[in-house]
Amino acid sequence: MGNLGGKTLLMSGGSRGIGLAIAVRAARDGANVVLIAKTDTPDPRLEGTIHTSAAAIEAAGGKVLAVVGDVRDDETIASAVVQAVATFGGIDIVVNNASVISLDGTLKVSPKRYDLMQDVNVRGTFMLSKAALPFLLEAENPHILSLCPPLNLSQKWLGMNPAYTLAKYGMTLTALGFAAEFAAQGVASNALWPRTTIATAAVANILGGDEMIRRSRTAAIMADAAHAILTTNSRELTGQAIIDEELLRARGMEDFSGYAVDPSVELMIDLYVDQ
């Protein structure tokens, strides 16, 4: 695989979990990372802030610009793009990591939660990418990577939690739409999703606590898969909804035991992924 040294990543979220893992993996190559995240002060329910993430990125060998703000806010997005270009000279990669989850059924989901998922997951992905695209079009190997699932239209997934599914599938359609629209210009746009649950705060707090964490993989597998995508020629890999394990297997990896939180238990397959 190639190297992200000197590349500039613009990422939504990234205070913790998968986003932070992707940022730290890029930083190990010497990448520049621009984070847009809301968590400015510690939250007892969630580990990490934008400042602890910035410290971790710098410790890994990268340069970082922390922008405290909300990806729903157009002024925050515009400011982050301006600061990224002024500080690092351009933007090579956008990682749409910020996401909101609610697994409530249709009769239980609140209008506020529904709107929040649409605003962060779909609108945030679209508007952050849109703002960065003029600079991606000038980059040597431009990529947009959105953390969203394959468009699995089975009745099982369509009926499980439609409000969340609409928001995540909206992200995926946005990613695939960018790929089609900018194919001729060489801007890659892909979706990335884990085959198994990942040991994050969302999994612990929403999907099943410590037992679910035991049956998950660490965020390192998503970071390695993201790195593999982002170091690939943008004209050779675009318009795909990629599963982390499938990509890494295709690149020659055979042993995935090192990613397991607890190798002694059966892994939990993630939402929207069939057995």
Side-chain angles (χ1 to χ4, degrees), residues 1-4 7 92-93 139-144 182-190 226-240 242 247 251:
M1 292 188 290
N3 190 286
L4 294 176
K7 300 290 186 179
D92 301 284
I93 294 163
E140 181 180 352
N141 189 40
H143 283 267
I144 299 171
F182 295 99
Q185 293 97 320
V187 178
S189 180
N190 294 288
H227 186 272
I229 294 167
L230 299 176
T231 54
T232 299
N233 187 312
S234 62
R235 292 184 179 273
E236 296 177 0
L237 180 60
T238 188
Q240 303 297 313
I242 298 165
L247 175 76
R251 299 292 176 95

Side-chain angles (χ1 to χ4, degrees), residues 101-118:
I101 181 172
S102 172
L103 299 183
D104 287 337
T106 300
L107 296 178
K108 290 186 177 180
V109 68
S110 69
K112 181 178 180 180
R113 197 67 176 175
Y114 178 92
D115 289 344
L116 180 62
M117 288 192 288
Q118 289 290 329

Side-chain angles (χ1 to χ4, degrees), residues 12 71-72 77 94-100 117-133 144-148 167-176 178 189-191:
S12 63
V71 75
R72 294 176 293 170
I77 290 174
V94 172
V95 180
N96 292 300
N97 166 70
S99 190
V100 175
M117 288 192 288
Q118 289 290 329
D119 284 348
V120 173
N121 300 3
V122 187
R123 189 183 190 278
T125 294
F126 189 97
M127 292 302 175
L128 183 62
S129 303
K130 171 182 166 66
L133 268 162
I144 299 171
L145 184 63
S146 303
L147 303 189
C148 44
K168 293 305 289 188
Y169 283 14
M171 283 184 74
T172 307
L173 287 169
T174 300
L176 300 181
F178 290 147
S189 180
N190 294 288

Side-chain angles (χ1 to χ4, degrees), residues 151-172:
L151 297 174
N152 190 333
L153 300 182
S154 75
Q155 293 297 298
K156 172 185 176 180
W157 300 120
L158 290 178
M160 184 170 288
N161 30 250
Y164 178 63
T165 299
L166 277 170
K168 293 305 289 188
Y169 283 14
M171 283 184 74
T172 307

